[in-house]
Amino acid sequence: MKRIRGILIAWALLVLAASGVRAHADAALLMEEPYGTFGAINPTGHAAIYLNHICAETPTQLRPCRPGEFGVVISRYHKVGGYDWLAIPLVPYLYAVDHAEDVPATADPGLEAQLRDAYRRQHLLNIIPDAEADEDARKSPKGDWTQLIGASYDRKIYGFQVETTREADARFIAEFNDNRNVSHFNLFFHNCADFSKMLLNVYYPHSIHRNFFIDLGITTPKQVARSLTKYGRRHPELGFLTFVIPQVPGTIHRSHPINGVVESLVKSKKYVVPLFVLSPPLTAGMVVAYLADGRFKAPKDSPREILPGDIENLGRAQGVAVDLAKPSVQPASESEPQLHGEPVPSAPGGITVPYFGAAQ
């Protein structure tokens, strides 16, 4: 009986996925680990919002999703085209490719740069033009635009999701399309976490707030996640859940653990020792504040783990109270992988494409 019920549920999910129809809309905070040298100095990470019923007509113009589309990721960036926010479709945001079947099983810095620049040239050239170079050469520009696409090559990402409504999505689209979109990024008061806080408060007013004790009044991705988690638990009707999107395997350096402001100070010897020498009472107060209200762990053991390329699970089956088996990933190897006796096709440029098999 259970097997028959499982088959019926799986069939219903396949029908929903094929038709692009979902029972409700969802909004998810993406709390992203820091990486690189700057991430080691400032371990607060990055925040973005994923909306699975809203899509991007352009990076600055929103619209309802059409059947078969997976939604959009919106965030605030520093000095990218002069805009306050930009919207990128889910698949390129995570993997810098247009289609899930083109996601590589592993990546190195060279492949990451190649995929990002190819996507930029094809879709974002009017916002992120080539750097000035010789007349016969086109050079990829420097800057923070790289955070727009291919996030999963650099970071592990934690998702915190709540249900929304189509009516709320329609109001959101109208409001954001009508408002001025001019950059006023500020690391302390108008950063990516402030933008995520504002966006979530559009859906659920007063759900997200700053913490003046553990983050010294600065909005951080971890504080937004903490607020949304508390709000979701107080409102079980919102179907709050978490998921994890692992960093793509390969030779790219792994991202760092994400921390809040006071947490990063009290957990690091290079900060806490000098602070204690300068002001023992202040340091003790910071430690007490962190222990009292600052400990919030990322959902590392979340049962919902989104494997590279498994966009179907993230984009279409969110919020469904059924756990299908994880898809099997065909690892990249020097030998050509086989699928039912036939070679698995490769993406342009010789990129190995992983095969995500049916649920076992």
Side-chain angles (χ1 to χ4, degrees):
M1 185 68 182
K2 289 183 178 179
R3 184 177 181 182
I4 295 175
R5 183 184 178 190
I7 293 173
L8 291 175
I9 292 174
W11 174 252
L13 289 177
L14 288 173
V15 171
L16 287 173
S19 63
V21 177
R22 294 183 284 274
H24 52 75
D26 299 293
L29 167 71
L30 302 182
M31 184 182 76
E32 307 180 7
E33 288 189 338
Y35 68 94
T37 303
F38 182 76
I41 299 172
N42 176 22
T44 54
H46 180 65
I49 298 296
Y50 168 52
L51 302 168
N52 69 356
H53 270 61
I54 295 178
C55 286
E57 185 68 26
T58 70
T60 59
Q61 192 75 13
L62 305 175
R63 60 167 173 78
C65 287
R66 303 184 182 105
E69 294 182 311
F70 295 109
V72 72
V73 178
I74 309 176
S75 188
R76 173 177 286 159
Y77 300 95
H78 179 235
K79 293 183 178 180
V80 180
Y83 294 102
D84 185 42
W85 59 268
L86 291 167
I88 301 295
L90 176 65
V91 178
Y93 179 82
L94 294 176
Y95 304 112
V97 295
D98 283 308
H99 307 289
E101 59 267 24
D102 294 332
V103 177
T106 63
D108 57 34
L111 176 59
E112 177 188 33
Q114 173 190 338
L115 292 175
R116 276 181 172 155
D117 198 50
Y119 188 89
R120 177 189 68 86
R121 294 182 188 280
Q122 185 174 359
H123 300 286
L124 301 172
L125 202 56
N126 60 329
I127 295 176
I128 311 162
D130 292 330
E132 294 183 3
D134 297 335
E135 293 182 0
D136 297 330
R138 293 189 303 170
K139 187 177 180 181
S140 178
K142 296 181 180 180
D144 292 341
W145 70 269
T146 54
Q147 296 183 36
L148 288 171
I149 44 181
S152 285
Y153 298 121
D154 292 319
R155 317 171 185 262
K156 176 185 285 187
I157 300 174
Y158 302 96
F160 303 81
Q161 177 187 301
V162 291
E163 295 179 9
T164 62
T165 64
R166 294 181 183 273
E167 293 76 17
D169 281 348
R171 291 193 299 269
F172 179 89
I173 291 172
E175 180 175 338
F176 269 68
N177 284 346
D178 289 342
N179 289 345
R180 292 178 70 246
N181 186 1
V182 179
S183 176
H184 56 283
F185 181 93
N186 180 286
L187 183 62
F188 298 104
F189 302 110
H190 295 285
N191 58 40
C192 59
D194 284 300
F195 180 81
S196 296
K197 173 173 72 74
M198 179 268 294
L199 192 154
L200 289 169
N201 282 335
V202 169
Y203 282 102
Y204 296 104
H206 312 297
S207 60
I208 313 297
H209 55 82
R210 298 182 184 185
N211 192 311
F212 288 90
F213 294 101
I214 61 172
D215 286 320
L216 307 181
I218 300 172
T219 308
T220 64
K222 203 165 190 179
Q223 172 57 23
V224 178
R226 180 188 291 108
S227 291
L228 186 59
T229 299
K230 290 181 178 179
Y231 189 82
R233 289 173 178 171
R234 290 198 304 267
H235 298 274
E237 70 277 6
L238 298 183
F240 176 80
L241 56 84
T242 62
F243 56 87
V244 179
I245 305 175
Q247 188 174 356
V248 174
T251 58
I252 299 171
H253 291 300
R254 302 295 90 181
S255 54
H256 312 297
I258 191 168
N259 292 321
V261 175
V262 169
E263 181 182 18
S264 64
L265 295 176
V266 302
K267 292 174 68 174
S268 174
K269 292 181 180 179
K270 63 183 178 182
Y271 294 130
V272 72
V273 172
L275 281 173
F276 182 79
V277 172
L278 292 173
S279 178
L282 175 62
T283 306
M286 293 172 64
V287 172
V288 171
Y290 167 69
L291 294 176
D293 193 36
R295 290 179 291 181
F296 176 78
K297 294 184 178 180
K300 296 181 180 180
D301 298 325
S302 174
R304 296 175 60 85
E305 183 174 283
I306 312 302
L307 299 177
D310 186 18
I311 304 300
E312 184 97 358
N313 191 21
L314 177 60
R316 287 181 171 173
Q318 287 199 65
V320 179
V322 178
D323 285 329
L324 299 179
K326 293 180 181 178
S328 59
V329 179
Q330 185 85 1
S333 64
E334 294 183 1
S335 60
E336 190 173 39
Q338 300 288 315
L339 170 59
H340 303 304
E342 297 294 330
V344 176
S346 296
I351 302 170
T352 301
V353 180
Y355 165 62
F356 298 92
Q360 302 296 315

